Amino acid sequence: MKDVASAAGVALKTVSRVVNGEPGVHPATAARVRAAIERLGYSRNESARVLRRGRTATIGLVIEDVADPFYSGLSRAVEDVVIEHGCLLLSGSSGEEPGRERELVETFCARRVDGLIVVPAGEDHTYLRPELEAGTPVVFADRPPGAGLDVDTVLADNAGGARLAVRHLMAHGHRRIAFLGDDPAIFTAAERLRGYRDELGGLYDERLVAMRPPSLEAIRTDLRRMFALDDPPTALFTGNGRYTVTTLRALERRRIALVGFDDFELADLLDPGVTVVAQDPAWMGRVSAELLFRRLGGDTGRSEHVELPVRLIVRGSGELPPAGP
């Protein structure tokens, strides 16, 4: 900047005003400064500028897996909001490993991010207390933090969505409804199991529940076991998008009523189309990011706990009646 001031024959403060778009500089002088900037190839050091203001203009985001369409949608929405605020997003995937989650968070904090959005993999978040006490805002998305940590949280209505799915299948004559879901240690999986069980009431049969990380062979094994029962399921409720897709592969064109939690690409083009309980990952990402920037803007109110509604999209698979004898 000193070289620009010397080349333009003006004071350093004048160059600063032109660079930052501040008023009070004669148009001819401003033109001379801009010409010097172009001639010298000057570019403003944004990092130094924000550091002088006490900010790094960066936000940290920890998700489960960027390859998962749900989290890629959430991440993109967060990034859009971050860009709108003139900041840079740093993101990483935990792979559902608590140690990796903590490592990412601590790495972002070491880089002095202004705030964090975390999809937690673990249940112990006491390691965040020093950052929270130092004033770093944190928003948890999709899943809440471990017990004892009261921070802003944005969730979907997981249990309500599961009740909606089971109610829909029961309205089409099904009483033997199986649930195939992810590891019950995961908050969203446990909540969907809770909603499923609550809606079934006395019809609940633990033999129709299988919960573990999705793989084609595991789901095939679980389905074979369930279909071999004296009173097998006539309908399936799958706990997330990846589970639904893998279950469809495992069924190998066998027609059975099915409702999945989470929408997925091409669900409407299958035959029949797949009925789903849809949440909106982009909405969740935007709400989380906007809440974070409200905190960065000075909002010191009580922690907010937002639960976003879900909706049933009817396409055909969930409307198949129980098969005849």
Side-chain angles (χ1 to χ4, degrees), residues 129-157:
R129 290 195 183 280
E131 290 299 324
L132 291 168
E133 290 169 0
T136 303
V138 180
V139 176
F140 278 73
D142 190 42
R143 309 166 186 175
L149 200 65
D150 183 25
V151 296
D152 295 322
T153 307
V154 182
L155 310 175
D157 184 7

PDB file of all heavy atoms in Angstrom, residues 129-157:
ATOM      1  N   ARG A 129     -15.991 -26.608  25.875  1.00  0.00           N
ATOM      2  CA  ARG A 129     -16.261 -25.584  26.886  1.00  0.00           C
ATOM      3  C   ARG A 129     -15.269 -24.418  26.855  1.00  0.00           C
ATOM      4  O   ARG A 129     -15.685 -23.259  26.956  1.00  0.00           O
ATOM      5  CB  ARG A 129     -16.296 -26.214  28.282  1.00  0.00           C
ATOM      6  CG  ARG A 129     -17.512 -27.098  28.498  1.00  0.00           C
ATOM      7  CD  ARG A 129     -17.725 -27.411  29.972  1.00  0.00           C
ATOM      8  NE  ARG A 129     -18.841 -28.318  30.156  1.00  0.00           N
ATOM      9  CZ  ARG A 129     -20.119 -27.967  30.143  1.00  0.00           C
ATOM     10  NH1 ARG A 129     -20.435 -26.698  29.951  1.00  0.00           N
ATOM     11  NH2 ARG A 129     -21.061 -28.871  30.324  1.00  0.00           N
ATOM     12  N   PRO A 130     -13.968 -24.660  26.704  1.00  0.00           N
ATOM     13  CA  PRO A 130     -13.047 -23.508  26.646  1.00  0.00           C
ATOM     14  C   PRO A 130     -13.367 -22.555  25.500  1.00  0.00           C
ATOM     15  O   PRO A 130     -13.285 -21.324  25.657  1.00  0.00           O
ATOM     16  CB  PRO A 130     -11.671 -24.163  26.460  1.00  0.00           C
ATOM     17  CG  PRO A 130     -11.823 -25.530  27.047  1.00  0.00           C
ATOM     18  CD  PRO A 130     -13.225 -25.943  26.715  1.00  0.00           C
ATOM     19  N   GLU A 131     -13.755 -23.089  24.332  1.00  0.00           N
ATOM     20  CA  GLU A 131     -14.095 -22.237  23.201  1.00  0.00           C
ATOM     21  C   GLU A 131     -15.385 -21.461  23.461  1.00  0.00           C
ATOM     22  O   GLU A 131     -15.489 -20.277  23.143  1.00  0.00           O
ATOM     23  CB  GLU A 131     -14.240 -23.068  21.923  1.00  0.00           C
ATOM     24  CG  GLU A 131     -12.934 -23.618  21.398  1.00  0.00           C
ATOM     25  CD  GLU A 131     -11.948 -22.518  21.028  1.00  0.00           C
ATOM     26  OE1 GLU A 131     -12.386 -21.465  20.532  1.00  0.00           O
ATOM     27  OE2 GLU A 131     -10.738 -22.720  21.237  1.00  0.00           O
ATOM     28  N   LEU A 132     -16.370 -22.140  24.051  1.00  0.00           N
ATOM     29  CA  LEU A 132     -17.632 -21.472  24.368  1.00  0.00           C
ATOM     30  C   LEU A 132     -17.413 -20.363  25.392  1.00  0.00           C
ATOM     31  O   LEU A 132     -17.970 -19.269  25.274  1.00  0.00           O
ATOM     32  CB  LEU A 132     -18.644 -22.487  24.899  1.00  0.00           C
ATOM     33  CG  LEU A 132     -19.152 -23.508  23.864  1.00  0.00           C
ATOM     34  CD1 LEU A 132     -19.908 -24.635  24.560  1.00  0.00           C
ATOM     35  CD2 LEU A 132     -20.046 -22.828  22.846  1.00  0.00           C
ATOM     36  N   GLU A 133     -16.581 -20.637  26.401  1.00  0.00           N
ATOM     37  CA  GLU A 133     -16.291 -19.633  27.427  1.00  0.00           C
ATOM     38  C   GLU A 133     -15.503 -18.462  26.854  1.00  0.00           C
ATOM     39  O   GLU A 133     -15.591 -17.337  27.350  1.00  0.00           O
ATOM     40  CB  GLU A 133     -15.529 -20.279  28.582  1.00  0.00           C
ATOM     41  CG  GLU A 133     -16.395 -21.247  29.402  1.00  0.00           C
ATOM     42  CD  GLU A 133     -15.591 -22.094  30.374  1.00  0.00           C
ATOM     43  OE1 GLU A 133     -14.339 -21.920  30.407  1.00  0.00           O
ATOM     44  OE2 GLU A 133     -16.196 -22.928  31.084  1.00  0.00           O
ATOM     45  N   ALA A 134     -14.738 -18.733  25.773  1.00  0.00           N
ATOM     46  CA  ALA A 134     -13.983 -17.659  25.116  1.00  0.00           C
ATOM     47  C   ALA A 134     -14.860 -16.842  24.168  1.00  0.00           C
ATOM     48  O   ALA A 134     -14.395 -15.861  23.594  1.00  0.00           O
ATOM     49  CB  ALA A 134     -12.804 -18.247  24.347  1.00  0.00           C
ATOM     50  N   GLY A 135     -16.132 -17.274  24.007  1.00  0.00           N
ATOM     51  CA  GLY A 135     -17.056 -16.500  23.180  1.00  0.00           C
ATOM     52  C   GLY A 135     -17.253 -17.001  21.769  1.00  0.00           C
ATOM     53  O   GLY A 135     -17.905 -16.335  20.959  1.00  0.00           O
ATOM     54  N   THR A 136     -16.692 -18.172  21.438  1.00  0.00           N
ATOM     55  CA  THR A 136     -16.889 -18.725  20.095  1.00  0.00           C
ATOM     56  C   THR A 136     -18.272 -19.346  20.007  1.00  0.00           C
ATOM     57  O   THR A 136     -18.567 -20.296  20.731  1.00  0.00           O
ATOM     58  CB  THR A 136     -15.837 -19.803  19.778  1.00  0.00           C
ATOM     59  OG1 THR A 136     -14.529 -19.253  19.906  1.00  0.00           O
ATOM     60  CG2 THR A 136     -16.023 -20.339  18.359  1.00  0.00           C
ATOM     61  N   PRO A 137     -19.153 -18.842  19.127  1.00  0.00           N
ATOM     62  CA  PRO A 137     -20.496 -19.426  19.023  1.00  0.00           C
ATOM     63  C   PRO A 137     -20.452 -20.780  18.315  1.00  0.00           C
ATOM     64  O   PRO A 137     -19.675 -20.982  17.380  1.00  0.00           O
ATOM     65  CB  PRO A 137     -21.270 -18.391  18.198  1.00  0.00           C
ATOM     66  CG  PRO A 137     -20.231 -17.680  17.410  1.00  0.00           C
ATOM     67  CD  PRO A 137     -18.980 -17.672  18.249  1.00  0.00           C
ATOM     68  N   VAL A 138     -21.290 -21.700  18.785  1.00  0.00           N
ATOM     69  CA  VAL A 138     -21.365 -23.045  18.210  1.00  0.00           C
ATOM     70  C   VAL A 138     -22.834 -23.402  18.009  1.00  0.00           C
ATOM     71  O   VAL A 138     -23.660 -23.197  18.907  1.00  0.00           O
ATOM     72  CB  VAL A 138     -20.705 -24.095  19.122  1.00  0.00           C
ATOM     73  CG1 VAL A 138     -20.806 -25.487  18.505  1.00  0.00           C
ATOM     74  CG2 VAL A 138     -19.245 -23.739  19.389  1.00  0.00           C
ATOM     75  N   VAL A 139     -23.148 -23.925  16.841  1.00  0.00           N
ATOM     76  CA  VAL A 139     -24.495 -24.430  16.551  1.00  0.00           C
ATOM     77  C   VAL A 139     -24.385 -25.904  16.211  1.00  0.00           C
ATOM     78  O   VAL A 139     -23.550 -26.301  15.384  1.00  0.00           O
ATOM     79  CB  VAL A 139     -25.154 -23.669  15.378  1.00  0.00           C
ATOM     80  CG1 VAL A 139     -26.510 -24.285  15.038  1.00  0.00           C
ATOM     81  CG2 VAL A 139     -25.312 -22.184  15.712  1.00  0.00           C
ATOM     82  N   PHE A 140     -25.213 -26.738  16.847  1.00  0.00           N
ATOM     83  CA  PHE A 140     -25.275 -28.155  16.516  1.00  0.00           C
ATOM     84  C   PHE A 140     -26.434 -28.381  15.554  1.00  0.00           C
ATOM     85  O   PHE A 140     -27.537 -27.869  15.767  1.00  0.00           O
ATOM     86  CB  PHE A 140     -25.445 -28.998  17.776  1.00  0.00           C
ATOM     87  CG  PHE A 140     -24.153 -29.253  18.503  1.00  0.00           C
ATOM     88  CD1 PHE A 140     -23.531 -28.237  19.214  1.00  0.00           C
ATOM     89  CD2 PHE A 140     -23.557 -30.505  18.460  1.00  0.00           C
ATOM     90  CE1 PHE A 140     -22.335 -28.464  19.870  1.00  0.00           C
ATOM     91  CE2 PHE A 140     -22.354 -30.737  19.115  1.00  0.00           C
ATOM     92  CZ  PHE A 140     -21.734 -29.716  19.817  1.00  0.00           C
ATOM     93  N   ALA A 141     -26.184 -29.148  14.506  1.00  0.00           N
ATOM     94  CA  ALA A 141     -27.196 -29.404  13.477  1.00  0.00           C
ATOM     95  C   ALA A 141     -27.440 -30.902  13.339  1.00  0.00           C
ATOM     96  O   ALA A 141     -26.516 -31.710  13.482  1.00  0.00           O
ATOM     97  CB  ALA A 141     -26.764 -28.824  12.135  1.00  0.00           C
ATOM     98  N   ASP A 142     -28.683 -31.259  13.062  1.00  0.00           N
ATOM     99  CA  ASP A 142     -29.121 -32.635  12.804  1.00  0.00           C
ATOM    100  C   ASP A 142     -29.182 -33.488  14.065  1.00  0.00           C
ATOM    101  O   ASP A 142     -30.063 -34.324  14.202  1.00  0.00           O
ATOM    102  CB  ASP A 142     -28.237 -33.297  11.748  1.00  0.00           C
ATOM    103  CG  ASP A 142     -28.796 -34.626  11.264  1.00  0.00           C
ATOM    104  OD1 ASP A 142     -30.025 -34.698  11.054  1.00  0.00           O
ATOM    105  OD2 ASP A 142     -28.023 -35.589  11.082  1.00  0.00           O
ATOM    106  N   ARG A 143     -28.244 -33.280  14.987  1.00  0.00           N
ATOM    107  CA  ARG A 143     -28.203 -34.032  16.236  1.00  0.00           C
ATOM    108  C   ARG A 143     -27.815 -33.071  17.365  1.00  0.00           C
ATOM    109  O   ARG A 143     -27.042 -32.146  17.144  1.00  0.00           O
ATOM    110  CB  ARG A 143     -27.171 -35.156  16.160  1.00  0.00           C
ATOM    111  CG  ARG A 143     -27.313 -36.040  14.926  1.00  0.00           C
ATOM    112  CD  ARG A 143     -26.082 -36.905  14.746  1.00  0.00           C
ATOM    113  NE  ARG A 143     -26.121 -37.650  13.501  1.00  0.00           N
ATOM    114  CZ  ARG A 143     -25.135 -38.408  13.058  1.00  0.00           C
ATOM    115  NH1 ARG A 143     -24.025 -38.531  13.782  1.00  0.00           N
ATOM    116  NH2 ARG A 143     -25.247 -39.054  11.918  1.00  0.00           N
ATOM    117  N   PRO A 144     -28.293 -33.316  18.577  1.00  0.00           N
ATOM    118  CA  PRO A 144     -27.951 -32.424  19.689  1.00  0.00           C
ATOM    119  C   PRO A 144     -26.582 -32.747  20.263  1.00  0.00           C
ATOM    120  O   PRO A 144     -26.029 -33.832  20.016  1.00  0.00           O
ATOM    121  CB  PRO A 144     -29.056 -32.717  20.705  1.00  0.00           C
ATOM    122  CG  PRO A 144     -29.376 -34.163  20.469  1.00  0.00           C
ATOM    123  CD  PRO A 144     -29.238 -34.379  18.974  1.00  0.00           C
ATOM    124  N   PRO A 145     -26.022 -31.832  21.050  1.00  0.00           N
ATOM    125  CA  PRO A 145     -24.760 -32.136  21.735  1.00  0.00           C
ATOM    126  C   PRO A 145     -24.991 -33.097  22.880  1.00  0.00           C
ATOM    127  O   PRO A 145     -26.133 -33.390  23.250  1.00  0.00           O
ATOM    128  CB  PRO A 145     -24.311 -30.759  22.245  1.00  0.00           C
ATOM    129  CG  PRO A 145     -25.600 -30.018  22.453  1.00  0.00           C
ATOM    130  CD  PRO A 145     -26.519 -30.484  21.354  1.00  0.00           C
ATOM    131  N   GLY A 146     -23.882 -33.579  23.445  1.00  0.00           N
ATOM    132  CA  GLY A 146     -23.983 -34.469  24.591  1.00  0.00           C
ATOM    133  C   GLY A 146     -24.628 -33.782  25.779  1.00  0.00           C
ATOM    134  O   GLY A 146     -24.692 -32.548  25.859  1.00  0.00           O
ATOM    135  N   ALA A 147     -25.109 -34.576  26.692  1.00  0.00           N
ATOM    136  CA  ALA A 147     -25.789 -34.053  27.882  1.00  0.00           C
ATOM    137  C   ALA A 147     -24.900 -33.053  28.618  1.00  0.00           C
ATOM    138  O   ALA A 147     -23.694 -33.233  28.733  1.00  0.00           O
ATOM    139  CB  ALA A 147     -26.171 -35.207  28.800  1.00  0.00           C
ATOM    140  N   GLY A 148     -25.534 -32.000  29.092  1.00  0.00           N
ATOM    141  CA  GLY A 148     -24.818 -31.004  29.880  1.00  0.00           C
ATOM    142  C   GLY A 148     -24.333 -29.807  29.104  1.00  0.00           C
ATOM    143  O   GLY A 148     -23.850 -28.847  29.701  1.00  0.00           O
ATOM    144  N   LEU A 149     -24.464 -29.825  27.783  1.00  0.00           N
ATOM    145  CA  LEU A 149     -24.024 -28.696  26.964  1.00  0.00           C
ATOM    146  C   LEU A 149     -25.258 -28.039  26.343  1.00  0.00           C
ATOM    147  O   LEU A 149     -25.933 -28.663  25.520  1.00  0.00           O
ATOM    148  CB  LEU A 149     -23.070 -29.180  25.871  1.00  0.00           C
ATOM    149  CG  LEU A 149     -22.171 -28.115  25.234  1.00  0.00           C
ATOM    150  CD1 LEU A 149     -21.203 -27.545  26.262  1.00  0.00           C
ATOM    151  CD2 LEU A 149     -21.404 -28.702  24.068  1.00  0.00           C
ATOM    152  N   ASP A 150     -25.532 -26.829  26.749  1.00  0.00           N
ATOM    153  CA  ASP A 150     -26.718 -26.126  26.268  1.00  0.00           C
ATOM    154  C   ASP A 150     -26.306 -25.072  25.247  1.00  0.00           C
ATOM    155  O   ASP A 150     -25.883 -23.976  25.608  1.00  0.00           O
ATOM    156  CB  ASP A 150     -27.453 -25.468  27.444  1.00  0.00           C
ATOM    157  CG  ASP A 150     -28.741 -24.785  27.002  1.00  0.00           C
ATOM    158  OD1 ASP A 150     -29.304 -25.186  25.964  1.00  0.00           O
ATOM    159  OD2 ASP A 150     -29.179 -23.840  27.687  1.00  0.00           O
ATOM    160  N   VAL A 151     -26.398 -25.425  23.967  1.00  0.00           N
ATOM    161  CA  VAL A 151     -26.049 -24.497  22.891  1.00  0.00           C
ATOM    162  C   VAL A 151     -27.147 -24.549  21.832  1.00  0.00           C
ATOM    163  O   VAL A 151     -28.034 -25.413  21.856  1.00  0.00           O
ATOM    164  CB  VAL A 151     -24.684 -24.851  22.251  1.00  0.00           C
ATOM    165  CG1 VAL A 151     -23.560 -24.709  23.252  1.00  0.00           C
ATOM    166  CG2 VAL A 151     -24.709 -26.251  21.659  1.00  0.00           C
ATOM    167  N   ASP A 152     -27.091 -23.628  20.888  1.00  0.00           N
ATOM    168  CA  ASP A 152     -28.069 -23.593  19.805  1.00  0.00           C
ATOM    169  C   ASP A 152     -28.069 -24.915  19.040  1.00  0.00           C
ATOM    170  O   ASP A 152     -27.009 -25.450  18.694  1.00  0.00           O
ATOM    171  CB  ASP A 152     -27.751 -22.452  18.846  1.00  0.00           C
ATOM    172  CG  ASP A 152     -27.893 -21.081  19.496  1.00  0.00           C
ATOM    173  OD1 ASP A 152     -28.823 -20.903  20.308  1.00  0.00           O
ATOM    174  OD2 ASP A 152     -27.071 -20.196  19.198  1.00  0.00           O
ATOM    175  N   THR A 153     -29.271 -25.414  18.752  1.00  0.00           N
ATOM    176  CA  THR A 153     -29.413 -26.708  18.087  1.00  0.00           C
ATOM    177  C   THR A 153     -30.541 -26.644  17.070  1.00  0.00           C
ATOM    178  O   THR A 153     -31.603 -26.091  17.344  1.00  0.00           O
ATOM    179  CB  THR A 153     -29.733 -27.815  19.117  1.00  0.00           C
ATOM    180  OG1 THR A 153     -28.757 -27.780  20.169  1.00  0.00           O
ATOM    181  CG2 THR A 153     -29.723 -29.179  18.479  1.00  0.00           C
ATOM    182  N   VAL A 154     -30.304 -27.221  15.882  1.00  0.00           N
ATOM    183  CA  VAL A 154     -31.320 -27.271  14.825  1.00  0.00           C
ATOM    184  C   VAL A 154     -31.495 -28.734  14.422  1.00  0.00           C
ATOM    185  O   VAL A 154     -30.568 -29.362  13.909  1.00  0.00           O
ATOM    186  CB  VAL A 154     -30.915 -26.421  13.601  1.00  0.00           C
ATOM    187  CG1 VAL A 154     -32.027 -26.463  12.542  1.00  0.00           C
ATOM    188  CG2 VAL A 154     -30.638 -24.979  14.012  1.00  0.00           C
ATOM    189  N   LEU A 155     -32.696 -29.269  14.659  1.00  0.00           N
ATOM    190  CA  LEU A 155     -32.992 -30.671  14.384  1.00  0.00           C
ATOM    191  C   LEU A 155     -34.191 -30.778  13.453  1.00  0.00           C
ATOM    192  O   LEU A 155     -34.926 -29.809  13.250  1.00  0.00           O
ATOM    193  CB  LEU A 155     -33.315 -31.422  15.684  1.00  0.00           C
ATOM    194  CG  LEU A 155     -32.343 -31.278  16.850  1.00  0.00           C
ATOM    195  CD1 LEU A 155     -32.904 -32.003  18.077  1.00  0.00           C
ATOM    196  CD2 LEU A 155     -30.980 -31.841  16.481  1.00  0.00           C
ATOM    197  N   ALA A 156     -34.411 -31.974  12.916  1.00  0.00           N
ATOM    198  CA  ALA A 156     -35.656 -32.291  12.213  1.00  0.00           C
ATOM    199  C   ALA A 156     -36.558 -33.072  13.166  1.00  0.00           C
ATOM    200  O   ALA A 156     -36.105 -33.627  14.172  1.00  0.00           O
ATOM    201  CB  ALA A 156     -35.365 -33.116  10.961  1.00  0.00           C
ATOM    202  N   ASP A 157     -37.830 -33.120  12.858  1.00  0.00           N
ATOM    203  CA  ASP A 157     -38.784 -33.861  13.684  1.00  0.00           C
ATOM    204  C   ASP A 157     -38.691 -35.343  13.327  1.00  0.00           C
ATOM    205  O   ASP A 157     -39.528 -35.898  12.621  1.00  0.00           O
ATOM    206  CB  ASP A 157     -40.204 -33.329  13.442  1.00  0.00           C
ATOM    207  CG  ASP A 157     -41.230 -34.000  14.351  1.00  0.00           C
ATOM    208  OD1 ASP A 157     -40.829 -34.770  15.256  1.00  0.00           O
ATOM    209  OD2 ASP A 157     -42.443 -33.765  14.146  1.00  0.00           O
TER     210      ASP A 157
END
